[in-house]
């Protein structure tokens, strides 16, 4: 596998830092927990979509696109990073936003990522939940094409073999950082949704025979479906990279016990994880992805699945901008102000 063969626009602040979480590790009294700071990729508050977009937007540019389209949930971090990337390249950006939660909270519908989409100059339109959103987008793209636009469409989450290259690259980056530090990694954990992050990571890890188990914590689909989605994309990504067959079905492991009531609906464990990371480590997670991912990590440490003496790397996939769409969930304005202990 040789990533330099693929067109790429280097916008991300890479490599992202790999840091120990000392206070969180002490609090949980289990494995040594480290964090791969993909929340720090640099583009419009950062996040994991930037790595994928480096390859996707290079393809858009090579095809002479003047309009980039994508789709996602209302508080999509992918939409926000696409809008920012398009702005940087001087392309127009149009986004279809799916109302997956039915929330009528003004912050959810207009603040956070939605605010940033518009700040970056993207146009948005809404769809109800349950549609085939990629099909909706292609229909609309054809309309733009018939009026003369050169449209490049990016599937939800940037999750196709081109986008997943960004995470094959992240696997190389992470293992090489660990090698430089003399750090052995026993497990890698991250939030998994549209599957590109997990698919890319597993292809990268397997292609270099790192022998590090990867665990995706699901945020939407049931386990079987999530693992199938990741596997199909991983197989296609490995083929694109010229290393077909490196990924086996059993390499793909997702734990979907932390989804709660559904995609984009906060869970008590996710909120606890967000507060723990914020108060023990000064780090920002989000209620849709990284908070649920961290809730899985924390619970699996408490249950002894990850043990003392092991080292676990949590890939922080970003999402902090979504916090401002969910401030009501925390209810701080409804709780009495606390007084410092005397
Ligand atoms: C999109 C996203 C994920 C999930 O990544 P996929 O590649 O879609 O599986 C995780 N965390 C955050 C913050 C995201 O925005």
């Amino acid at each position: 596998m040789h990533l330099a063969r693929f067109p790429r626009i280097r916008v991300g602040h890479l490599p992202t830092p790999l840091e120990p979480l000392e206070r969180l590790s002490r609090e949980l009294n289990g494995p040594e927990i480290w964090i791969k700071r993909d929340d720090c990729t640099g583009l419009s508050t950062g996040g994991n979509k930037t790595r994928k977009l480096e390859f996707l937007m290079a393809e858009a540019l090579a095809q002479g696109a003047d309009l980039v389209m994508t789709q996602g949930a209302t508080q999509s971090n992918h939409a926000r990073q696409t809008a920012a990337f398009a702005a940087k390249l001087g392309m127009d950006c149009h986004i279809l936003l799916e109302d997956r939660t039915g929330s009528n909270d003004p912050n959810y519908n207009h603040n956070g990522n939605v605010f940033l989409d518009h700040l970056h100059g993207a146009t948005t339109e809404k769809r109800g939940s349950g549609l085939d959103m990629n099909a909706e987008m292609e229909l609309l793209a054809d309309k733009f094409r018939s009026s003369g636009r050169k449209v490049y469409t990016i599937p939800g989450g940037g999750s196709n073999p081109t986008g997943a290259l960004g995470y094959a690259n992240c696997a190389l980056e992470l293992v090489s950082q660990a090698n430089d530090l003399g750090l052995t990694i026993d497990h890698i954990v991250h939030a998994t949704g549209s599957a590109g992050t997990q698919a890319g990571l597993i292809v990268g890890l397997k292609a270099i025979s790192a022998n590090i188990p990867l665990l995706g914590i699901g945020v939407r689909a049931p386990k079987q479906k999530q693992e199938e989605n990741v596997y199909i994309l991983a197989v296609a990504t490995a083929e694109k990279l010229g290393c077909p067959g490196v990924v086996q079905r059993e390499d793909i492991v997702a734990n979907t016990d932390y989804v709660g009531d559904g995609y984009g609906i906060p869970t008590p464990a996710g909120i606890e994880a967000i507060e723990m990371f914020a108060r023990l480590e000064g780090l920002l997670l989000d209620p849709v992805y990284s908070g649920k991912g961290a809730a899985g990590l924390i619970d699996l440490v408490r249950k002894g699945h990850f043990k003392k003496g092991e080292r676990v790397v949590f890939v922080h996939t970003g999402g902090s901008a979504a916090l401002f769409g969910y401030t009501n969930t925390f209810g701080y304005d409804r709780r009495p102000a606390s007084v410092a202990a005397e």
Side-chain angles (χ1 to χ4, degrees):
M1 123 172 162
H2 192 11
L3 281 155
R5 294 198 177 112
F6 297 90
R8 174 175 170 194
I9 302 171
R10 287 171 169 74
V11 161
H13 295 182
L14 307 180
T16 57
L18 175 62
E19 300 169 341
L21 296 183
E22 287 169 11
R23 289 206 343 120
L24 181 72
S25 301
R26 211 175 306 139
E27 172 79 18
L28 293 172
N29 194 29
E32 199 181 286
I33 303 172
W34 286 60
I35 193 161
K36 174 70 172 155
R37 296 291 306 275
D38 272 18
D39 57 320
C40 299
T41 52
L43 187 65
S44 183
T45 76
N48 65 337
K49 303 314 181 301
T50 300
R51 287 187 191 268
K52 304 179 184 183
L53 288 164
E54 286 194 330
F55 291 93
L56 291 161
M57 294 301 269
E59 219 172 74
L61 206 62
Q63 292 177 15
D66 57 17
L67 170 63
V68 169
M69 287 181 67
T70 196
Q71 58 90 2
T74 304
Q75 282 294 335
S76 167
N77 302 296
H78 165 66
R80 179 244 313 155
Q81 288 163 83
T82 305
F85 214 130
K88 188 168 175 63
L89 299 183
M91 291 180 191
D92 290 333
C93 181
H94 187 67
I95 302 166
L96 288 186
L97 294 177
E98 179 187 9
D99 179 15
R100 287 187 203 163
T101 67
S103 166
N104 52 21
D105 180 344
N107 278 336
Y108 180 80
N109 286 292
H110 303 288
N111 204 337
N113 283 302
V114 185
F115 170 70
L116 295 177
D117 295 341
H118 296 147
L119 184 61
H120 288 302
T123 49
T124 61
E125 61 184 277
K126 287 216 136 185
R127 291 288 186 276
S129 71
L131 294 166
D132 178 343
M133 287 293 286
N134 283 331
E136 284 290 304
M137 175 173 69
E138 293 303 335
L139 270 177
L140 191 59
D142 283 339
K143 274 194 202 152
F144 284 122
R145 287 184 185 111
S146 59
S147 66
R149 301 301 304 261
K150 292 208 165 84
V151 187
Y152 182 82
T153 57
I154 300 176
S159 286
N160 61 16
T162 301
L165 296 178
Y167 270 86
N169 186 42
C170 178
L172 302 189
E173 183 182 299
L174 172 57
V175 172
S176 139
Q177 282 173 314
N179 287 341
D180 290 347
L181 291 165
L183 205 72
T184 53
I185 301 174
D186 298 299
H187 299 274
I188 300 172
V189 180
H190 68 96
T192 181
S194 66
T197 301
Q198 189 168 2
L201 283 173
I202 198 67
V203 170
L205 290 170
K206 293 289 295 203
I208 58 171
S209 302
N211 292 329
I212 304 172
L214 177 67
L215 175 65
I217 306 289
V219 300
R220 190 179 192 188
K223 179 180 170 72
Q224 186 73 19
K225 177 83 185 133
Q226 185 65 23
E227 291 181 349
E228 278 299 312
N229 289 348
V230 173
Y231 180 61
I232 290 166
L233 182 53
V235 166
T237 305
E239 246 159 55
K240 186 179 179 81
L241 269 166
C243 48
V246 289
V247 176
Q248 314 304 313
R249 176 62 183 79
E250 59 267 25
D251 299 325
I252 313 294
V253 185
N255 180 326
T256 58
D257 294 345
Y258 305 94
V259 176
D261 288 340
Y263 175 91
I265 302 173
T267 59
I271 298 300
E272 184 205 11
I274 293 172
E275 290 186 335
M276 282 180 81
F277 273 64
R279 292 166 189 189
L280 292 167
E281 297 290 349
L283 289 171
L284 300 177
L285 303 178
D286 79 276
V288 183
Y289 293 100
S290 52
K292 287 183 180 175
L297 170 72
I298 290 166
D299 188 53
L300 292 169
V301 170
R302 285 175 176 158
K303 285 178 171 156
H305 176 82
F306 299 126
K307 297 172 194 65
K308 237 186 168 57
E310 293 185 320
R311 192 173 290 115
V312 180
V313 173
F314 180 68
V315 180
H316 188 341
T317 43
S320 63
L323 283 170
F324 303 98
Y326 281 92
T327 50
N328 283 339
T329 301
F330 294 83
Y332 295 145
D333 55 340
R334 298 189 298 274
R335 295 189 204 173
S338 55
V339 179
E342 281 158 43

